[in-house]
Amino acid sequence: QLGAELDKVAHRPAQSPGGEFQVRLDNCDSGELLATAPLPVGAARLTQTVRLRAVSGVHALCFVPATGPRADPIWGLYKVRLVTRAAAENTHD
């Protein structure tokens, strides 16, 4: 599907067999790693909850896939919801 664009895909090293999504602070490449969410091998859809530590100030969050040298499957995010710890503890979704 990517054709000639495949060479432009950034490949980040994976720490688990299926890879993971990394949550980085302010910069997708060099930003502080706040959390990782493992990606199961063979899954097409999944829902995960990841806890981030509190950081003061205004920052950007970058969600990047780290799947090693392969480009298949290509993971994407449908929705990210940020909630306070208190709200997460009171939610029963």
Side-chain angles (χ1 to χ4, degrees):
Q1 289 179 341
L2 293 176
E5 301 295 309
L6 183 60
D7 292 338
K8 297 179 182 177
V9 174
H11 297 281
R12 294 172 177 85
Q15 302 300 316
S16 60
E20 55 274 336
F21 259 103
Q22 298 177 345
V23 183
R24 293 190 170 272
L25 188 65
D26 293 326
N27 184 293
C28 294
D29 295 314
S30 61
E32 178 185 350
L33 182 61
L34 295 179
T36 59
L39 299 170
V41 175
R45 293 179 155 239
L46 69 144
T47 299
Q48 291 192 337
T49 300
V50 178
R51 295 189 186 273
L52 304 177
R53 68 174 181 76
V55 178
S56 62
V58 176
H59 296 276
L61 291 177
C62 187
F63 298 84
V64 294
T67 56
R70 65 188 185 282
D72 186 32
I74 296 174
W75 285 91
L77 294 174
Y78 172 70
K79 177 172 51 174
V80 173
R81 183 174 66 160
L82 301 174
V83 297
T84 64
R85 181 171 299 195
E89 291 170 355
N90 292 323
T91 302
H92 302 286
D93 294 327

